[in-house]
Structure formats: C-alpha cells, structure tokens
Amino acid sequence: IPNKAKDPYPVSAAAMLTVASAQTTPVTLPVMLFDPGRLPQETRQSAREQLARIFAAATVKIQWMAADAALRETRARIDVVLLTDAMARRLAQAKEIPPNALGVAAPESRRAYVFVDRVMHVASRTGADPGDTLGCIMAHEIGHLLLHSTTHSSEGVMRADFRPEDLKKAGQRQLKFTPEEADVIHRNTQAQGH
C-alpha cells in the first residue's frame, strides 16, 4: 500500500528475486489480531481464513494467538491491528499516510495496521466480500513485514492497489504471493525462529 516514508528495509533486488528450491516444510507464524472496533464475527472469521489461506500457499502456517497465550509467547509474533476510522485518521495524519492507503506496516513494532473503514468501502464499491478483502489487506501488510520491504509487485497480494479483478480472485481463493515473494516470506519466517 502506498507509503511516503523512507524504506526501512534496504534490500537488493537480487535478494528479493532469489528463489530457492521448492519449500516442503511449513513454518509457523504467530499472529495476534486486535479488533477494537469489534467487526462482525463472520467478517473477522472470513478475513482470518483468507489470510491463513494466502500464507498457506507460501508454506507458512498462521498460528492465531489469544491474548493470554501471547503474553507467554517467546517467539516474535506479528500483531495485526484493525483500526477504527478515528484511529486510522490519527495514524494517517501522524505518519503522513496517503488517503488511498488501506493499511500500513510498522516494522519497528512488527505491527500491521489496517484501515477497516477504507477496506469496507473498497469491498462495497467493488462488490467484493468484506472478509476476503480484509484478509487480503492484512496479508499484504504482513507481507511487507516479512519481505523486509515497502516495494510492491505488479500482480498478486503485494500489488500497490487492488483492482476489482484482484478482489474477484480473492473471492475465488486464487489471490496469492508471487513465487518469489512466497519463497522470501518462507525463508524470512523460518530465519526468525518460527
């Protein structure tokens, strides 16, 4: 998602395009979901399923953390924060985030922030399933954290902007990371001890 900030992940293009042999051993990624706006359970569950499916295609298993378990967790986890409209406006103003951004990754805190009202507007405007759309945006922002990059691709989950046809693919369970991105995500998750 567009971000004016300086790239906190200086990674060479060669490193991003290095593709190892096929991954066969899944790695686990602990994720904690914060939902202060209390989305409908069905939307939240659909988003979690979409996110898990996208990462499963990269041989990364999402382990959803409960608050009490997260306090005991010693491995580095990723937090996904579903921002209310008021929270999103404050963050966007403080970080100079463009008004068309649907989320932002914060590598310093290993957090992925998602602007829920903006995502719901896109889903409504395109006729896409809200949960599927939310899951894709969550995956996109976590992708930035695991790719150690703010760059975007021309196809798949890491596009800078989701077209209606991308959201249709999401509904058909066909939207995923490129093979190169999936490889880097898998290796980086594994290297972090997951």
Side-chain angles (χ1 to χ4, degrees), residues 33-162:
L33 182 64
F34 294 90
D35 179 15
R38 310 298 290 158
L39 278 172
Q41 175 63 26
E42 181 180 311
T43 302
R44 189 172 45 255
Q45 185 59 33
S46 175
R48 287 170 54 135
E49 289 170 4
Q50 180 72 276
L51 174 77
R53 183 203 54 76
I54 290 168
F55 276 93
T59 61
V60 174
K61 182 182 183 305
I62 300 296
Q63 176 188 10
W64 295 103
M65 306 292 298
D68 58 335
L71 293 173
R72 296 186 306 270
E73 181 61 48
T74 57
R75 296 176 295 171
R77 72 168 195 265
I78 288 183
D79 294 337
V80 176
V81 183
L82 305 180
L83 299 174
T84 64
D85 187 47
M87 295 165 73
R89 279 186 271 124
R90 283 193 302 270
L91 180 64
Q93 184 178 17
K95 301 284 186 182
E96 297 181 14
I97 298 167
N100 64 329
L102 301 177
V104 65
E108 64 282 356
S109 61
R110 292 183 55 82
R111 284 195 175 147
Y113 294 99
V114 179
F115 304 149
V116 174
D117 286 353
R118 294 179 187 184
V119 172
M120 294 302 122
H121 176 74
V122 167
S124 175
R125 190 185 69 217
T126 61
D129 179 81
D132 286 344
T133 305
L134 181 61
C136 290
I137 302 307
M138 291 163 46
H140 177 99
E141 297 307 334
I142 292 173
H144 281 305
L145 296 172
L146 295 175
L147 289 166
H148 304 289
S149 174
T150 59
T151 61
H152 294 100
S153 61
S154 60
E155 291 299 321
V157 174
M158 295 309 295
R159 279 187 55 86
D161 57 335
F162 286 99

